[in-house]
């Protein structure tokens, strides 16, 4: 199986720049090894609620704790194919306990740390997806290089322009979970709601393939020595007027591929 190449970027939106708020999105992506030495891709994105005072702390904590949890899971000899929804429900409780401790120390309500949760874990023969809130996960078909589909459609809350958060008491009830075994995807993207209108086609409820194709074409050609330049270029693109004219929100984009290098490089 080919080596994973990946990039994750979170950039501030123009609305937050104008208001003096920090970027409230966070992301993490790492390749870990299981007990057999096989690669496991772990990716997570989290969008802090715009109305929450410390949601940037919540989203950063969600990302770091999830990666740590998967690392500990693998280091104790567990297999990705045995991940269950209950594992994620238990992680949610541990995360909420950490948030409660932070909130108590800072004398703030837990809701001030509100954030979403979007995650992907992929081994050679198993792919696990979990999500609470908006944003989405898009995967490439194992059989068609130019077909991309979403795993969960973004969750909308009880009112327009609202969603659910992993910090909520009822978060476990809102958890979306899926596991696939056998021939699983070798390309995946995670993104927060700042990119939803660009990456998803709402009328047909489909992934917008022209959005993803150039990114993955470029990523497939990258070597480890060139990844820093790719990440810098990706961040610059997401912060460009071309994107900011269409969305003023914070934006997170994670891209990962283990497909063979393409001879047709497309720059972003």
């Amino acid at each position: 199986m080919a080596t994973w190449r990946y990039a994750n970027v979170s950039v501030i939106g123009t609305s937050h720049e104008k208001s003096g708020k920090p970027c409230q999105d966070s992301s993490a992506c790492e390749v870990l090894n299981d007990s057999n030495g096989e690669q496991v891709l772990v990716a997570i994105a989290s969008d802090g609620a715009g109305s929450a005072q410390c949601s940037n702390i919540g989203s950063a904590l969600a990302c770091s704790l999830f990666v740590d949890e998967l690392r500990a899971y693998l280091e104790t000899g567990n297999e990705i194919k045995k991940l269950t929804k209950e594992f994620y429900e238990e992680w949610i409780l541990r995360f909420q306990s950490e948030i409660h401790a932070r909130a108590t120390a800072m004398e703030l309500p837990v809701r001030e740390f509100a954030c979403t949760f979007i995650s992907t874990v992929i081994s050679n023969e198993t792919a696990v997806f979990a999500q609470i809130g908006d944003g989405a996960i898009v995967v490439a078909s194992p059989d068609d290089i130019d077909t991309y589909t979403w795993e969960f459609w973004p969750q909308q809350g009880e009112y327009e322009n609202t969603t659910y958060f992993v910090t909520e008491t009822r978060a476990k009830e809102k958890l979306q979970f899926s596991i696939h075994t056998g021939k699983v995807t070798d390309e995946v993207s995670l993104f927060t709601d700042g990119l939803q209108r660009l990456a998803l086609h709402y009328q047909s409820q489909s992934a917008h393939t022209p959005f993803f194709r150039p990114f993955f074409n470029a990523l497939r050609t990258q070597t480890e020595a060139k990844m820093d330049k790719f990440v810098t270029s990706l961040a610059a693109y997401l912060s460009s007027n071309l994107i900011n004219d269409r969305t003023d929100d914070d934006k997170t984009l994670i891209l990962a591929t283990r497909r063979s290098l393409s001879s047709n490089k497309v720059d972003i």
Side-chain angles (χ1 to χ4, degrees):
M1 187 68 69
T3 300
W4 282 103
R5 296 177 296 286
Y6 61 87
N8 63 290
V9 171
S10 295
V11 299
I12 192 170
T14 54
S15 62
H16 285 182
E17 286 184 326
K18 292 175 182 176
S19 64
K21 291 182 178 180
C23 178
Q24 295 170 318
D25 276 14
S26 298
S27 58
C29 190
E30 290 191 28
V31 174
L32 307 177
N33 291 313
D34 64 16
S35 58
N36 296 318
E38 296 178 350
Q39 288 192 342
V40 176
L41 177 77
V42 179
I44 175 172
S46 181
D47 180 3
S51 59
Q53 181 180 341
C54 297
S55 64
N56 58 311
I57 296 174
S59 66
L61 189 60
C63 292
S64 62
L65 285 181
F66 185 74
V67 174
D68 288 347
E69 189 80 6
L70 263 296
R71 183 180 290 107
Y73 179 84
L74 292 171
E75 287 177 348
T76 51
N78 291 296
E79 299 175 288
I80 298 305
K81 66 181 180 181
K82 294 183 178 179
L83 277 175
T84 62
K85 188 175 182 180
E86 288 71 27
F87 170 90
Y88 286 82
E89 290 173 343
E90 291 172 4
W91 176 83
I92 289 169
L93 294 178
R94 284 190 284 273
F95 167 73
Q96 291 181 342
S97 177
E98 291 283 348
I99 287 294
H100 185 269
R102 299 286 182 99
T104 300
M106 297 174 68
E107 299 183 342
L108 291 170
V110 167
R111 65 175 178 271
E112 295 298 340
F113 298 81
C115 58
T116 63
F117 168 70
I118 315 167
S119 71
T120 295
V121 181
I122 305 176
S123 65
N124 285 351
E125 297 181 349
T126 305
V128 187
F129 306 101
Q131 181 169 334
I132 298 173
D134 50 19
I137 305 165
V138 165
V139 298
S141 165
D143 303 309
D144 186 345
I145 196 169
D146 276 330
T147 299
Y148 295 93
T149 59
W150 48 268
E151 191 65 25
F152 311 112
W153 196 252
Q155 287 180 325
Q156 182 175 320
E158 296 179 8
Y159 305 100
E160 188 175 358
N161 295 324
T162 65
T163 190
Y164 301 110
F165 301 107
V166 68
T167 44
E168 295 177 12
T169 304
R170 298 174 59 192
K172 290 196 299 181
E173 298 175 23
K174 305 303 179 184
L175 175 65
Q176 300 180 97
F177 173 85
S178 66
I179 184 166
H180 307 272
T181 58
K183 189 176 182 181
V184 296
T185 187
D186 50 12
E187 285 189 337
V188 62
S189 176
L190 290 72
F191 51 93
T192 53
D193 73 326
L195 291 173
Q196 280 177 192
R197 296 289 174 177
L198 286 75
L200 299 175
H201 191 275
Y202 274 70
Q203 187 174 0
S204 62
Q205 279 213 339
S206 60
H208 187 49
T209 295
F211 176 82
F212 296 99
R213 187 184 294 123
F215 292 121
F216 281 119
N217 283 345
L219 184 59
R220 293 177 203 137
T221 71
Q222 300 304 304
T223 62
E224 185 174 348
K226 295 182 178 180
M227 282 309 304
D228 286 346
K229 183 178 179 182
F230 180 84
V231 171
T232 299
S233 298
L234 184 61
Y237 178 74
L238 294 181
S239 299
S240 68
N241 290 336
L242 180 67
I243 301 299
N244 286 334
D245 286 346
R246 300 182 64 183
T247 173
D248 64 356
D249 198 1
D250 295 340
K251 298 167 285 290
T252 287
L253 180 61
I254 302 175
L255 302 159
T257 183
R258 56 183 173 189
R259 284 187 173 162
S260 300
L261 297 179
S262 171
S263 59
N264 298 320
K265 182 178 179 180
V266 179
D267 292 325
I268 63 173

